[in-house]
Each structure stands twice: as structure tokens, then as C-alpha cells.
């Protein structure tokens, strides 16, 4: 019994830490096109943006914890907005980093995912994503948010356990392309809202009040991070 359990744990560890062969180049390109087809049309984007909101609010929450703030909870709403509440000093570096983490989290997660896929660690990426979603679920404070995170986590878990290697690769590459491409659009949406006098309490405006740096400069940072992540991550995915 002990030997069987040890062997099972060993197999599990090998599965997690092992590498998989890179998919054919055509599959990488097709998954990128699929992700682009989800990000660009408004109808698809309205639904898919929930995934970007998960990453956005998760970024706020993770950085809040890493900077020593107390995370009270995260809410995700059906209009794809979200709210992360943390306690601590209302000013200072920790608050600045927490506020800056939202718009930068999705593209940076995509960049990290692209790095893992570039190393052939497809299964590891799926398990890491599942673990992050489980950790986030603990801090969710509303029903819609809980259902959204559970569905996302169940999808990652199901693909990692039940799907064959080809399906895992297609799913992982689509997700990473989506984070890279979908991480670009929110900053442009925020810019458009601010141009028309909306989003007065956006992350960029909060950062402006915290740092006395114009909100436009923070928007530039969001654009720079998302576009650089897309370029760098795309090069990793396409192996160029």
C-alpha cells in the first residue's frame, strides 16, 4: 500500500514537473487567431472579459498580500467589473503597487504563461492556474464571483486531468494568447472612458492621487506593459 501510494505521488510529481513536446506551429497560430477572434468582437468580448477581470482583481489581491496589506475580499460582477478591498496604509508604496497591479496583471500572467509554454511545461501551467484560482476563491465575497471562479477552475482542472496532450496544448496556448491579447484592450477602453469624462475613480486616477503623477502617465504604463508583454510573449509562443 505504501509503495503504491509513493509510486502514485511520484507519477503525480513527474506529471507536474515534466515537459511536453511543443505543438505544431500551425496550432500555435490557430490558437492565437481564436483568441483574437474572442477579444476583438464586442459580443464575445463582453463574456470573455470576465476572465480578464479575474486576473485583474487577482492581481490587486496578490500584490496587496505581498506588500503586507490585509485582503478583506474580492467581488466580481456580471457587468465584468470587480472590486478588491484591502486594509492598510492608505498611502505609500504598498498601496501604489496594489493599485497598479490590476491592469498589468493579465498581460504579465500571459507573459509568464508564454515563458512556461516556451519551456514545454503545459501541464504545469494548467495546474498553476488551477491553484491560483482555488486560492482566489477563498477571498471571493459574492455569489457571481464564486460561480465564475469555480467554473474557470473546474475548466482548467478538467483539461489538465481528463484531456489528452493535444487538447491540453490547444487549451493552454489559447488561454495564454487570450491573456496577452485581452490584456491590451482594457487600457484602451479605460482611455476612451476617461476621454468622455467617465471612470473618474479608475485605477489610473487613484494612482494619480497617490503619486501626484498624471493619470495619463499611468495609462501609458498600462499600455507599455500590455504591448511589451504581447510582443515578448508572442515571440516565445511562436518560437521566433
Amino acid at each position: 500500500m505504501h509503495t503504491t501510494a509513493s509510486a502514485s505521488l511520484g507519477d503525480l510529481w513527474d506529471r507536474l514537473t515534466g515537459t511536453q513536446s511543443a505543438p505544431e506551429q500551425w496550432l500555435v497560430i490557430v490558437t492565437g487567431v481564436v483568441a483574437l477572434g474572442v477579444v476583438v468582437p464586442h459580443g464575445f468580448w463582453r463574456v470573455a472579459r470576465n476572465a480578464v477581470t479575474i486576473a485583474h482583481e487577482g492581481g490587486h489581491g496578490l500584490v496587496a498580500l505581498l506588500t503586507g496589506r490585509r485582503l478583506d475580499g474580492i467581488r466580481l460582477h456580471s457587468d465584468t467589473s470587480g472590486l478588491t478591498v484591502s486594509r492598510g496604509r492608505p498611502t505609500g508604496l504598498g498601496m501604489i503597487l496594489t493599485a497598479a497591479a490590476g491592469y498589468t496583471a493579465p498581460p504579465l500572467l500571459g507573459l509568464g504563461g508564454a515563458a512556461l509554454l516556451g519551456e514545454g511545461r503545459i501541464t504545469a501551467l494548467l495546474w498553476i492556474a488551477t491553484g491560483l484560482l482555488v486560492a482566489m476563491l477563498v477571498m471571493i465575497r459574492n455569489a457571481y464571483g464564486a460561480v465564475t471562479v469555480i467554473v474557470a477552475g473546474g475548466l482548467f482542472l478538467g483539461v489538465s486531468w481528463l484531456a489528452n496532450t493535444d487538447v491540453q496544448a490547444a487549451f493552454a496556448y489559447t488561454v495564454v494568447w487570450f491573456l496577452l491579447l485581452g490584456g491590451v484592450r482594457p487600457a484602451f477602453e479605460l482611455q476612451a472612458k476617461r476621454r468622455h469624462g467617465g471612470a473618474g475613480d479608475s485605477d489610473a486616477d487613484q494612482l494619480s492621487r497617490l503619486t501626484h503623477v498624471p493619470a495619463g502617465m499611468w495609462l501609458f504604463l498600462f499600455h507599455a506593459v500590455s504591448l511589451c508583454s504581447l510582443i515578448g510573449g508572442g515571440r516565445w509562443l511562436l518560437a521566433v
Side-chain angles (χ1 to χ4, degrees):
M1 180 74 72
H2 178 72
T3 302
T4 302
S6 298
S8 298
L9 288 174
D11 291 341
L12 188 64
W13 180 252
D14 290 340
R15 186 176 179 184
L16 175 60
T17 60
T19 58
Q20 294 79 40
S21 300
E24 297 289 338
Q25 189 78 346
W26 67 265
L27 180 61
V28 177
I29 295 172
V30 166
T31 56
V33 172
V34 169
L36 186 64
V38 172
V39 170
V40 174
H42 182 67
F44 289 140
W45 175 245
R46 284 184 62 187
V47 177
R49 200 183 193 282
N50 284 284
V52 175
T53 303
I54 290 174
H56 180 115
E57 300 303 331
H60 283 313
L62 178 61
V63 174
L65 291 173
L66 291 176
T67 55
R69 299 180 63 80
R70 178 179 173 180
L71 183 60
D72 283 348
I74 299 172
R75 291 177 175 269
L76 306 174
H77 304 131
S78 58
D79 63 354
T80 72
S81 66
L83 177 66
T84 299
V85 179
S86 63
R87 286 193 223 174
R89 288 183 57 195
T91 58
L93 183 60
M95 187 62 200
I96 293 170
L97 292 176
T98 298
Y103 279 92
T104 56
L108 289 177
L109 284 171
L111 184 63
L116 285 172
L117 294 181
E119 295 292 326
R121 301 190 181 279
I122 297 171
T123 302
L125 181 145
L126 297 174
W127 284 30
I128 290 170
T130 303
L132 290 173
L133 287 166
V134 170
M136 185 175 179
L137 180 61
V138 176
M139 298 309 303
I140 294 292
R141 295 293 181 264
N142 67 324
Y144 180 84
V147 170
T148 303
V149 173
I150 289 171
V151 169
L155 184 59
F156 275 93
L157 185 62
V159 170
S160 64
W161 273 106
L162 303 176
N164 61 39
T165 55
D166 291 336
V167 173
Q168 286 187 9
F171 178 77
Y173 273 81
T174 302
V175 167
V176 171
W177 274 121
F178 174 77
L179 287 172
L180 292 171
L181 293 164
V184 173
R185 182 164 176 171
F188 283 100
E189 291 178 335
L190 175 58
Q191 185 175 356
K193 288 179 182 178
R194 296 190 73 258
R195 188 183 299 120
H196 293 91
D201 199 34
S202 70
D203 291 355
D205 293 281
Q206 292 182 43
L207 285 163
S208 179
R209 291 192 289 270
L210 286 167
T211 63
H212 305 293
V213 174
M217 292 300 296
W218 288 105
L219 263 173
F220 176 80
L221 173 67
F222 298 159
H223 284 309
V225 170
S226 62
L227 291 172
C228 288
S229 295
L230 175 58
I231 293 170
R235 289 176 63 88
W236 266 325
L237 294 177
L238 295 168
V240 296

